[in-house]
């Protein structure tokens, strides 16, 4: 890799790179994203390597292990270019057939392609799969085609063009104007206008200034930032360098959680490559601008995703938030002005600079521009990462992209924005998703988690799950969040155990009001969303638990009652053998009975019975 | 720019006077002084638990919250860290504020039912018993962090710190072991509003944070002054010989 001494040098290098690359050359792109890697992408890639070698195709076919392909439900995924054939559930045993049929003969291996669950129609090409059709990838655009360890791959797709434009054609003020004009808002959840944040920091007269990339993604079930850091690390770096130039920062940090070792090593490699090529370090591209980036690893506290807590953690102090003002843009890391943005925000920056603020501002809704990456998980058929324009409705995301609910169950709620998001019921399925509309129905955009729930979920149990998570992760600094979450958790436990009272609902609402008003940081302020939204939209469910002592979704174990239907019971004693507490008794070949006093409601009898004689209510 | 929330002790270093409104009354106060101090100087009562005039505020207790801005765009902020600014409209006893304070006190009363300070403060806000669950009826620590801040900012040794998260969080020495940084000065116990930091003195030995400190007797009257270790610490930071500190204040 050469060190780029000038813009012409970079342009010339890119031209040569493009000339060397044949767009029609066959490529095998194995997904090595967060979803596919544990399912065996490495074995699949190794099998391809071996098979290509065996067939003498190693020189002809390009094999790459890429970032996330998106549709994680089909792990391990393989994309064959230039035809854009996608295969799913690929194992190393399938590889010889793919090489033989697709790479040699140009045919599609039918059994490995996507099949629509309802129509049974098969779709071999990426463009035909509904999951990909409704998407508009900007941040995820390059993930499934580039090798994240190759700077050449990034350059060949126009990488560092945004930086070149920013350094050569724009002044810092122009960059901030462009970001401002594009309408980009913080993708970490707060939705603060990025341009305004940069402007505040730029205008503070203090040196040095810092740039931080917040990669402390901690929401359960969310992996958007991880996929970007692992799959397209240079995009994050490029965004940061542009940002640094705009605000006049000399040093940048990427705060990545320790649980993302692959993201750390990919970013580290990308930083080294960027230093070697002159995109980082002294006198970047001979523009006179100096900037360098370091990785700082988080130790795994959820609250460290909050910007002030993150900064304290980086300084070596306890990762607890502090009251604002001062805002980090005024006084952040080591008391110096600091711009802190989320991974996805940074990854949007190069494209905005490269393609223009107008282009970006044309996407999305009036107040929320651009696209948003969601990790679509839960009870949908097609789980994975989706990137859609702001304003796409929940219905489109759940039904068109997600392929509807598993086993055609009925939709109950979707929880957006991580553990402190609200549960949105079916009546709002046609809600266009953006920062403000989500807030209007009691939820948040958050960093983009989207958990779909069907009727088998009990909303009291769901609320308890999230409150328990937040309770454990509350840093304990301020009283309302620390003590309030504990008391809400206690009340939910009472309700789940059939000891709930109707006053409890009002008490929880009172607690929610105090927590959202008086907590220091976003964790405590937004922790009330799961409670408020479930009480508002699923009040009957709480009342069923409290008044009737019933959990209609059959989830809250203490409220369940197991009985044996004497009509269907054959007296096979299968349940008797399974029961760990000896609660089931009766004669052989006669109907059995469950002693409710002894029963621990483990459900083993229900599973053991082959005649569906054990009933739950 | 260093953002510093100033205190009344440093009045002369403050910025220009600005006008703001508190509970409908227009007042003048130095810019950037904390809203809490501004309000108190002008006779507006705001309750606090974790505030101390000699320590930097960190906003833990959330009792000092006030509402700023005008309907409908109002915001709840903690007055101990929020700077006084021109044109601010502040309400120290709006409905939201009073309700938040009551819930916070009710939560603290459930946490530390036997703490006298909390009982009194809660009663002053009309909270006589808590509807919430108490885990440990003997608990006295309200996690205000005054001890930790005193040890760090006033004593300058940082022998104790907060440990853990959630309501199980506690003040502790590193790894819960005897701290070699502790000088046995007892400032933490002195500043503690609920008297929860255990500390005994017997036969010329002070025991605090699990460590025994030999006390120095006054060279003149023979009364105990302070732990020898603390006097050595003073000698070290002042550069004076230890003997200077071996005479008690009364005999000097």
């Amino acid at each position: 890799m050469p060190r780029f001494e000038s813009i012409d040098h970079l342009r010339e290098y890119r031209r040569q790179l493009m000339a060397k690359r044949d767009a029609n050359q066959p490529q095998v792109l194995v997904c090595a994203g967060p979803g596919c890697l544990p399912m065996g992408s490495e074995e699949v890639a190794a099998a391809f390597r071996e098979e290509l070698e065996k067939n003498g195709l190693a020189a002809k076919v390009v094999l790459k292990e890429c970032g996330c392909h998106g549709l994680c439900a089909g792990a391990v995924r393989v994309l064959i270019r230039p035809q854009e054939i996608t295969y799913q559930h690929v194992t190393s045993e399938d590889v010889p057939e793919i090489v033989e049929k697709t790479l040699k003969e140009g045919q599609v291996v039918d059994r490995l392609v996507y099949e629509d669950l309802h129509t049974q129609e098969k779709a071999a090409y990426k463009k035909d799969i509904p999951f990909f059709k409704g998407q508009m990838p900007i941040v995820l655009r390059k993930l499934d085609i580039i090798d994240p360890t190759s700077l050449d791959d990034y350059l060949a797709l126009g990488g560092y063009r945004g930086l070149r434009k920013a350094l050569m054609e724009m002044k810092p003020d122009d960059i901030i104007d462009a970001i401002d004009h594009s309408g980009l808002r913080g993708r970490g959840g707060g939705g603060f206008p990025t341009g305004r944040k940069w402007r505040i920091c730029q205008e503070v007269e203090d040196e040095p200034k810092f740039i931080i990339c917040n990669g402390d993604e901690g929401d359960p079930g969310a992996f958007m930032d991880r996929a970007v850091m692992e799959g397209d690390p240079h995009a994050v770096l490029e965004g940061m360098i542009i940002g640094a130039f705009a605000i006049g920062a000399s040093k940048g940090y990427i705060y990545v959680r320790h649980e993302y070792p692959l993201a750390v090593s990919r970013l580290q490699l990308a930083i080294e490559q960027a230093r070697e090529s002159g995109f980082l370090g002294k006198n970047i591209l001979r523009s006179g601008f100096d900037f360098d980036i370091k990785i700082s690893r988080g130790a795994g506290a959820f609250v460290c995703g909050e910007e002030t807590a993150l900064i304290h953690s980086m300084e070596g102090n306890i990762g607890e938030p502090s009251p604002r003002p001062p805002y980090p843009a005024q006084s952040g890391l080591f008391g110096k002005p600091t711009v802190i943005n989320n991974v996805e925000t940074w990854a949007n920056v190069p494209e905005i600079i490269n393609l223009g603020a107008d282009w970006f501002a044309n996407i999305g809704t009036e107040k929320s521009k651009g696209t948003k990456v969601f990790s679509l998980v839960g009870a949908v058929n097609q789980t994975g990462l989706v990137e859609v324009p702001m304003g796409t409705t929940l219905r489109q995301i759940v039904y068109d992209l997600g392929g509807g609910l598993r086993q055609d169950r009925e939709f109950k709620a979707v929880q957006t924005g991580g553990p402190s998001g609200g549960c949105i019921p079916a009546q709002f399925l046609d809600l266009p998703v953006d920062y403000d509309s989500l807030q209007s129905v009691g939820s948040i955009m958050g960093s983009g988690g989207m958990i779909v729930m069907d009727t088998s979920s009990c909303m009291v149990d769901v609320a308890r799950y999230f409150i328990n998570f937040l309770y454990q992760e509350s840093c304990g600094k301020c009283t309302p969040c620390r003590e309030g979450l504990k008391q809400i958790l206690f009340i939910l436990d009472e309700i789940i155990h059939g000891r709930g009272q109707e006053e409890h609902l009002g008490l929880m609402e009172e607690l929610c009001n105090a927590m959202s008003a008086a907590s220091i940081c976003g964790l405590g302020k937004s922790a009330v969303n799961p409670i408020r939204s479930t009480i508002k939209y699923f009040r009957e469910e709480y009342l069923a638990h409290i008044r009737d002592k019933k959990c209609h979704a059959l989830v809250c174990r203490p409220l369940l009652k197991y009985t044996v239907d004497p009509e269907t019971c054959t007296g096979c004693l299968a349940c008797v053998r399974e029961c760990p507490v000896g609660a089931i008794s009766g004669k052989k070949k006669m109907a059995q009975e469950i002693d409710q006093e002894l029963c621990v409601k483990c459900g083993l009898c229900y599973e053991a019975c082959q005649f569906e004689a054990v009933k739950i209510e | 720019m260093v953002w510093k929330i100033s205190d009344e002790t440093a009045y002369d270093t403050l910025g220009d006077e600005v006008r703001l409104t508190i509970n409908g009354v227009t007042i003048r106060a130095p810019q950037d002084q904390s809203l809490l101090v501004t309000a108190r100087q002008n006779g507006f009562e705001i309750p606090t638990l974790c505030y101390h005039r000699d320590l930097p505020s960190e906003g833990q207790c959330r009792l000092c919250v006030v509402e700023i801005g005008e309907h409908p765009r109002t915001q709840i902020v903690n007055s101990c860290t929020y700077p006084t600014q021109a044109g601010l409209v502040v309400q120290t006893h709006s409905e939201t504020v009073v309700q938040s304070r009551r819930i916070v006190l009710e939560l603290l009363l459930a946490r530390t039912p036997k703490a006298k300070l909390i009982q009194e403060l809660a009663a002053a806000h009309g909270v006589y018993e808590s509807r919430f669950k108490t885990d440990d009826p003997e608990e006295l620590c309200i996690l205000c962090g005054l001890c930790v801040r005193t040890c760090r900012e006033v004593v300058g040794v940082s022998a104790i710190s907060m440990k853990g998260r959630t309501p199980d969080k506690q003040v502790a020495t590193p790894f819960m072991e005897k701290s070699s940084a502790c000088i046995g000065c007892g400032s933490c116990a002195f500043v503690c509003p609920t008297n929860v930091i255990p500390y005994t003195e017997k036969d010329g030995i002070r025991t605090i944070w699990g460590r025994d400190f030999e006390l120095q007797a006054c060279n003149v009257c023979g009364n105990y002054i302070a732990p020898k270790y603390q006097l050595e610490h003073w000698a070290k930071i002042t550069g004076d010989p230890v003997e200077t500190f071996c005479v008690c204040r009364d005999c000097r």
Side-chain angles (χ1 to χ4, degrees):
Chain A
M1 203 75 218
R3 186 182 170 82
F4 298 110
E5 299 292 350
S6 67
I7 293 305
D8 291 335
H9 187 184
L10 174 61
R11 193 178 293 153
E12 185 52 35
Y13 183 82
R14 202 196 304 273
R15 194 175 299 144
Q16 286 174 9
L17 200 64
M18 305 294 270
K20 262 193 279 177
R21 296 196 169 195
D22 174 9
N24 292 319
Q25 186 180 19
Q27 295 183 6
V28 176
L29 307 163
V30 181
C31 175
C36 290
L37 203 54
M39 299 295 281
S41 333
E42 279 170 329
E43 288 89 43
V44 172
F48 266 113
R49 202 166 293 122
E50 197 183 311
E51 202 62 28
L52 291 174
E53 199 79 47
K54 224 194 279 172
N55 289 281
L57 291 168
K60 269 193 213 155
V61 179
V62 177
L63 173 68
K64 282 182 201 168
E65 286 176 66
C66 302
C68 184
H69 286 201
L71 185 45
C72 304
V76 174
R77 305 196 68 83
V78 173
L79 178 67
I80 311 280
R81 296 185 84 198
Q83 305 97 311
E84 300 254 320
I85 300 171
T86 71
Y87 291 130
Q88 54 184 21
H89 300 301
V90 179
T91 62
S92 41
E93 280 107 65
D94 301 322
V95 170
E97 194 180 344
I98 297 176
V99 172
E100 192 60 38
K101 271 195 155 173
T102 312
L103 292 174
K104 280 185 164 171
E105 298 166 19
Q107 292 171 6
V108 172
V109 182
D110 260 352
R111 63 182 183 86
L112 293 172
V113 304
Y114 170 86
E115 188 185 297
D116 191 288
L117 274 166
H118 301 284
T119 59
Q120 262 72 45
E121 251 175 67
K122 295 201 168 196
Y125 300 98
K126 196 177 160 186
K127 62 177 171 44
D128 299 330
I129 299 175
F131 181 85
F132 296 109
K133 258 196 242 172
Q135 293 198 47
M136 184 194 249
I138 296 174
V139 173
L140 303 181
R141 181 174 68 93
K142 303 188 282 297
L143 249 59
D144 59 354
I145 34 181
I146 64 168
D147 174 358
T149 61
S150 161
L151 177 56
D152 275 354
D153 268 22
Y154 185 68
L155 289 174
L157 281 167
Y160 288 107
R161 244 187 209 149
L163 177 67
R164 190 209 70 197
K165 193 169 162 191
L167 289 180
M168 299 304 144
E169 297 167 22
M170 298 169 93
K171 291 200 183 72
D173 280 325
D174 302 337
I175 298 173
I176 297 180
D177 284 343
I179 297 294
D180 214 6
H181 183 66
S182 74
L184 177 66
R185 292 169 68 173
R187 296 292 191 247
F192 192 80
T194 308
R196 202 188 304 166
K197 192 187 268 187
W198 290 15
R199 174 104 53 212
I200 295 170
C201 188
Q202 187 211 29
E203 284 171 357
V204 176
E205 285 176 23
D206 197 3
E207 294 280 320
K209 289 176 184 171
F210 296 110
I211 289 267
I212 298 176
C213 168
N214 183 350
D216 190 59
E217 183 176 53
D219 296 355
F223 55 103
M224 300 77 56
D225 295 346
R226 177 181 172 182
V228 174
M229 289 188 287
E230 288 180 4
D232 196 3
H234 279 288
V236 181
L237 300 189
E238 189 181 349
M240 289 178 74
I241 305 167
I242 295 171
F245 178 66
I247 66 150
S250 55
K251 194 135 205 196
Y253 293 92
I254 307 178
Y255 188 90
V256 194
R257 57 193 300 215
H258 191 72
E259 292 91 329
Y260 284 177
L262 186 62
V264 171
S265 64
R266 292 266 166 86
L267 284 166
Q268 191 60 51
L269 179 71
I271 290 172
E272 280 156 26
Q273 288 170 339
R275 276 189 198 138
E276 221 173 276
S277 325
F279 295 121
L280 277 178
K282 293 244 175 270
N283 202 1
I284 294 170
L285 295 177
R286 294 276 151 157
S287 63
F289 170 58
D290 305 336
F291 180 66
D292 205 1
I293 296 177
K294 255 187 166 174
I295 292 177
S296 178
R297 278 192 283 182
F302 178 71
V303 73
C304 286
E306 199 279 341
E307 54 185 14
T308 55
L310 184 151
I311 287 172
H312 291 310
S313 158
M314 280 181 60
E315 289 169 341
N317 295 323
I318 299 178
E320 285 174 355
S322 50
R324 290 168 294 184
Y327 291 91
Q330 300 160 319
S331 167
L333 188 64
F334 306 115
K336 297 293 173 185
T338 305
V339 159
I340 170 160
N341 278 130
N342 159 273
V343 171
E344 197 185 326
T345 317
W346 288 122
N348 267 304
V349 169
E351 299 289 341
I352 295 174
I353 297 299
N354 191 19
L355 297 171
D358 288 331
W359 161 80
F360 193 81
N362 274 329
I363 308 166
T365 60
E366 195 197 333
K367 283 185 177 162
S368 306
K369 300 297 184 190
T371 59
K372 178 78 192 84
V373 184
F374 292 102
S375 80
L376 183 63
V377 295
V380 282
N381 283 311
Q382 310 295 349
T383 54
L385 283 190
V386 296
E387 183 172 0
V388 289
M390 295 276 188
T392 308
T393 65
L394 282 170
R395 189 184 297 282
Q396 282 172 304
I397 298 176
V398 173
Y399 287 93
D400 299 349
L401 273 59
L405 276 79
R406 271 191 210 142
Q407 295 161 7
D408 278 331
R409 286 218 181 103
E410 199 188 321
F411 174 92
K412 188 167 194 177
V414 56
Q415 207 243 10
T416 63
S420 44
C423 297
I424 304 172
Q427 70 200 83
F428 296 117
L429 265 175
D430 291 309
L431 184 83
V433 176
D434 67 19
Y435 290 100
D436 311 291
S437 64
L438 285 176
Q439 207 160 13
S440 72
V441 296
S443 189
I444 50 171
M445 175 76 85
S447 60
M450 195 170 267
I451 303 171
V452 181
M453 287 171 271
D454 61 25
T455 41
S456 68
S457 294
C458 162
M459 298 317 285
V460 182
D461 180 66
V462 166
R464 191 201 172 277
Y465 172 83
F466 290 117
I467 291 296
N468 186 40
F469 177 87
L470 293 163
Y471 160 74
Q472 311 249 350
E473 293 296 341
S474 164
C475 78
K477 181 169 178 174
C478 71
T479 319
C481 172
R482 178 187 69 222
E483 305 292 334
L485 280 169
K486 175 185 152 179
Q487 298 297 346
I488 290 182
L489 182 64
F490 173 72
I491 293 171
L492 288 174
D493 273 336
E494 291 288 283
I495 294 175
I496 281 170
H497 282 85
R499 298 189 291 263
Q501 289 153 12
E502 277 180 53
E503 300 89 81
H504 277 155
L505 297 183
L507 193 56
M508 284 202 286
E509 280 172 318
E510 265 186 69
L511 274 171
C512 288
N513 292 341
M515 281 168 62
S516 65
S519 296
I520 293 184
C521 78
L523 196 154
K525 281 184 196 292
S526 61
V528 302
N529 289 327
I531 292 295
R532 273 186 181 160
S533 62
T534 50
I535 291 184
K536 186 169 174 193
Y537 302 125
F538 301 95
R539 201 179 183 90
E540 322 79 65
E541 228 166 292
Y542 277 96
L543 291 176
H545 282 69
I546 295 170
R547 282 188 198 150
D548 318 334
K549 316 286 176 210
K550 287 251 156 70
C551 175
H552 294 304
L554 305 179
V555 175
C556 300
R557 197 172 275 177
L559 296 182
L560 302 185
K561 189 178 171 195
Y562 287 86
T563 51
V564 179
D565 178 12
E567 300 291 310
T568 26
C569 179
T570 60
C572 71
L573 305 188
C575 55
V576 178
R577 281 190 289 275
E578 285 297 324
C579 182
V581 290
I584 310 174
S585 57
K587 290 193 181 117
K588 201 174 175 187
K589 305 215 167 150
M590 301 283 274
Q592 304 292 306
E593 211 173 321
I594 300 176
D595 185 339
Q596 297 300 329
E597 294 284 298
L598 289 176
C599 176
V600 291
K601 293 155 188 179
C602 64
L604 285 173
C605 53
Y606 179 78
E607 281 163 31
C609 185
Q610 293 176 351
F611 307 97
E612 292 182 11
V614 178
K615 305 281 179 208
I616 320 174
E617 54 182 276
Chain B
M1 178 178 66
V2 178
W3 196 294
K4 200 166 161 65
I5 297 302
S6 315
D7 209 328
E8 59 239 289
T9 47
Y11 197 89
D12 52 6
T13 63
L14 291 171
D16 300 338
E17 283 215 333
V18 292
R19 269 168 193 276
L20 71 159
T21 317
I22 299 184
N23 297 350
V25 183
T26 304
I27 54 162
R28 291 166 68 84
Q31 188 173 350
D32 290 346
Q33 167 175 274
S34 76
L35 272 184
L36 176 71
V37 173
T38 299
R40 281 185 173 174
Q41 277 172 351
N42 286 280
F44 299 102
E45 286 246 348
I46 296 175
T48 55
L49 277 171
C50 69
Y51 172 78
H52 193 289
R53 52 179 284 170
D54 295 331
L55 294 171
S57 295
E58 285 184 2
Q60 282 104 328
C61 75
R62 317 308 288 173
L63 273 184
C64 73
V65 288
V66 294
E67 192 159 357
I68 58 167
E70 278 171 285
H71 183 78
R73 294 183 65 91
T74 63
Q75 196 188 348
I76 302 285
V77 298
N78 51 327
S79 61
C80 68
T81 62
Y82 205 89
T84 298
Q85 286 161 354
L88 266 188
V89 178
V90 184
Q91 288 184 66
T92 61
H93 285 75
S94 71
E95 201 188 321
T96 321
V97 166
V98 172
Q99 203 49 38
S100 305
R101 279 186 199 146
R102 288 167 68 120
I103 290 284
V104 166
L105 284 166
E106 201 175 337
L107 286 167
L108 284 174
L109 198 57
R111 177 185 171 88
T112 59
K114 287 191 180 160
K116 223 165 169 55
L117 174 75
I118 302 299
Q119 288 170 358
E120 287 167 6
L121 203 54
H125 284 80
V127 178
Y128 299 98
E129 60 186 307
S130 182
R131 291 167 290 174
F132 303 119
K133 184 186 158 237
T134 299
D135 264 352
D136 176 5
E138 301 303 320
E139 178 65 80
L140 284 172
C141 178
I142 54 168
L143 295 173
C144 66
L146 280 174
C147 51
V148 174
R149 276 179 284 157
T150 303
C151 190
R152 186 180 65 217
E153 307 286 337
V154 178
V155 186
V157 298
S158 293
I160 48 172
S161 169
M162 290 287 180
K163 165 192 160 286
R165 291 200 288 253
T166 73
D168 299 331
K169 187 172 192 156
Q170 60 187 106
V171 177
T173 51
F175 306 103
M176 311 283 279
E177 288 169 1
K178 289 178 184 173
S179 164
S180 59
C182 180
I183 57 168
C185 68
S187 302
C188 48
F190 174 77
V191 78
C192 178
T194 56
N195 294 323
V196 60
I197 297 176
Y199 143 67
T200 58
E201 268 176 30
K202 204 185 161 197
D203 305 331
I205 301 289
R206 175 184 289 178
T207 308
I208 190 163
W209 294 112
R211 203 173 140 197
D212 293 339
F213 293 89
E214 196 184 332
L215 292 170
Q216 171 72 46
C218 171
N219 284 346
V220 182
C221 68
N223 288 337
Y224 292 121
I225 313 171
K228 286 186 170 165
Y229 209 74
Q230 183 183 354
L231 300 183
E232 281 161 22
H233 177 75
W234 284 355
K236 204 165 77 190
I237 55 174
T238 56
D240 293 336
V242 179
E243 293 71 43
T244 327
F245 304 105
C246 293
V247 178
C248 77
R249 201 193 288 178
D250 297 339
C251 301
R252 234 175 255 176

